[in-house]
Amino acid sequence: MGKRMNLEALVPAFAKGGDFLVSERAHFRPVRPDAWAHAQMKAFAYNFLRLMTDPTPRKLIIAIDGPAGAGKSTIASRLARKLGYVNLESGAMYRALALKAIKSDLSFDDEAALFKLAHDSHIELVPSIGGNHVLLDGCDVSVRIRERDVTEAASRVSVHPRVREWMVARQRELGVNGGVVMEGRDIGTKVFPDADLKIFLDADPVVREQRRMEQQKIKGEVAANLAADLRERDRRDRTRAASPLMAAEDAVVIDSTKMSEDEVLAQVEELAVSRLKK
Ligand code: C5P
C-alpha cells in the first residue's frame, strides 16, 4: 500500500482488531496528536502486538461416530456451539437421498439408480441452533426426513458403496476447512481419517432405545416398534460390507450408558481443548 493514511482512517481498522497489514504501519502518520489520539494509538499498538503474537487458533475437525440413540446429535451440537464451530449431521444427507428415492419410486436395492439419483441431487446442510436444516434440491425437508419411512430408507440406501463414495466426497468438501463437528457412522474411519479428534460414542442398546422413546415421548406398541427399528438399523450399519459402523483405531471410545449428557459433553470438550493446545 503506497498511500499515506491519517489517524481517522486507521481507527476503524484497529478498533475492530481486524486484518492490518504490517506495511501500513510505516505509513502511519497521526494528523492530530492530541490526548484522544494518544489513547487510540496505545490501543492500536496493543491490538497490533496481539495480532502478531496471538494468531487465530487453528480450527479442528472433530468426528463423532456411534450407533443411533447414543447421544451423538446432542453432544455434537452442544460442542459445536461451545467452540463456535458448525455441526454437520452426515446422516441427514443419507436421509435426504432416501426421501428422494421414495419420491422417485426407486428400489432401495438399486445401487446404480441411487448413485445417479445422488449425482443429480443438490443436498445442502444449513447448520442452525436447533439442528441442521436440510435442503433437497432447494426445498426444506428437515422435518419430513425424520419420519419413520425415511429413517428406514436411509438405513437401506446407505449400504451401497457408490452411494457412500458420493456422500463421503460431499462431506469432505463441507468439512475440509475445519471448525466443524461432524457426526455419523464413518466420519473417523472414512470421511476424515485424519480428523484432529475422533470420538466413538456408544451406550448399552437398551439404554439407547429408552432414550429414543423418552425423546419422542412414546410408549406401548409404538415404542416397541421404534426399538425394533433401531436394532435393525444398528445391525445393518454394523454388518454392511462398505464402511461398517466401528470405532476408528485412534478414536476415544466413550460409553455413555451411565453418564449424563453434561458429563459426556465435559469429557469431549476437555479432549477438544487439549487438541487445540497441541
Ligand atoms: O444419523 P442418522 O440416524 O440420521 O442416519 C440415518 C442413517 O444414515 C443411519 O441409519 C445410517 O444407516 C446412515 N448413515 C451412514 N453413515 C453416516 C451417517 C448415517 O451410513 N455417516
Side-chain angles (χ1 to χ4, degrees):
M1 279 200 139
K3 102 175 145 57
R4 282 184 166 239
M5 298 181 77
N6 66 25
L7 186 63
E8 281 80 4
L10 283 170
V11 167
F14 64 69
K16 66 178 163 82
D19 302 330
F20 195 82
L21 299 176
V22 182
S23 61
E24 285 179 339
R25 198 175 187 286
H27 301 297
F28 180 75
R29 183 172 62 90
V31 289
R32 283 193 294 125
D34 54 12
W36 177 85
H38 275 109
Q40 298 299 316
M41 281 175 70
K42 271 189 190 164
F44 167 76
Y46 173 80
N47 250 341
F48 183 79
L49 277 174
R50 188 178 55 79
L51 282 172
M52 291 295 112
T53 55
D54 179 21
T56 310
R58 73 196 175 92
K59 296 224 160 193
L60 305 178
I61 295 178
I62 301 178
I64 303 189
D65 290 302
K72 294 185 307 287
S73 299
T74 320
I75 295 301
S77 117
R78 287 183 67 188
L79 179 68
R81 241 179 293 158
K82 283 202 150 196
L83 298 175
Y85 286 10
V86 289
N87 165 218
L88 296 171
E89 299 173 59
S90 63
M93 297 177 69
Y94 288 95
R95 287 171 180 269
L97 179 66
L99 174 60
K100 193 158 174 179
I102 292 172
K103 285 181 172 173
S104 315
D105 200 21
L106 282 187
S107 159
F108 306 140
D109 298 324
D110 189 341
E111 179 171 14
L114 290 168
F115 173 72
K116 183 169 184 315
L117 191 73
H119 215 265
D120 295 340
S121 302
H122 190 62
I123 300 174
E124 266 177 277
L125 295 184
V126 184
S128 79
I129 298 217
N132 287 185
H133 280 281
V134 186
L135 304 183
L136 172 63
D137 300 325
C139 286
D140 191 333
V141 293
S142 318
V143 176
R144 175 69 181 96
I145 60 163
R146 301 290 158 194
E147 287 175 17
R148 190 175 171 193
D149 60 335
V150 182
T151 303
E152 153 79 9
S155 161
R156 293 185 54 190
V157 303
S158 66
V159 300
H160 301 296
R162 291 181 72 200
V163 169
R164 300 199 69 84
E165 268 168 38
W166 186 88
M167 290 286 175
V168 167
R170 301 289 82 70
Q171 290 156 5
R172 282 188 186 143
E173 285 167 7
L174 291 175
V176 70
N177 293 326
V180 68
V181 182
M182 193 176 282
E183 46 138 323
R185 306 293 189 285
D186 61 343
I187 311 304
T189 50
K190 277 281 175 326
V191 181
F192 288 114
D194 296 326
D196 300 284
L197 173 61
K198 299 179 188 178
I199 304 288
F200 191 84
L201 191 54
D202 210 343
D204 180 273
V206 176
V207 171
R208 289 193 281 116
E209 287 161 19
Q210 278 165 354
R211 284 181 188 160
R212 268 291 148 91
M213 290 172 201
E214 280 162 25
Q215 225 176 30
Q216 303 193 2
K217 299 185 177 68
I218 51 172
K219 288 186 189 143
E221 201 186 321
V222 185
N225 288 341
L226 179 134
D229 287 356
L230 200 92
R231 254 171 275 149
E232 177 53 18
R233 286 208 288 143
D234 253 16
R235 188 201 59 75
R236 219 179 262 135
D237 282 346
R238 289 181 199 270
T239 57
R240 69 181 169 224
S243 316
L245 169 66
M246 60 164 80
E249 267 178 23
D250 50 351
V252 178
V253 179
I254 300 179
D255 182 345
S256 73
T257 306
K258 294 186 177 143
M259 293 170 84
S260 71
E261 198 183 290
D262 285 349
E263 285 170 334
V264 176
L265 180 66
Q267 189 176 341
V268 175
E269 194 185 353
E270 199 179 310
L271 287 163
V273 170
S274 73
R275 296 298 195 279
L276 272 170
K277 286 180 186 158
K278 270 189 183 171

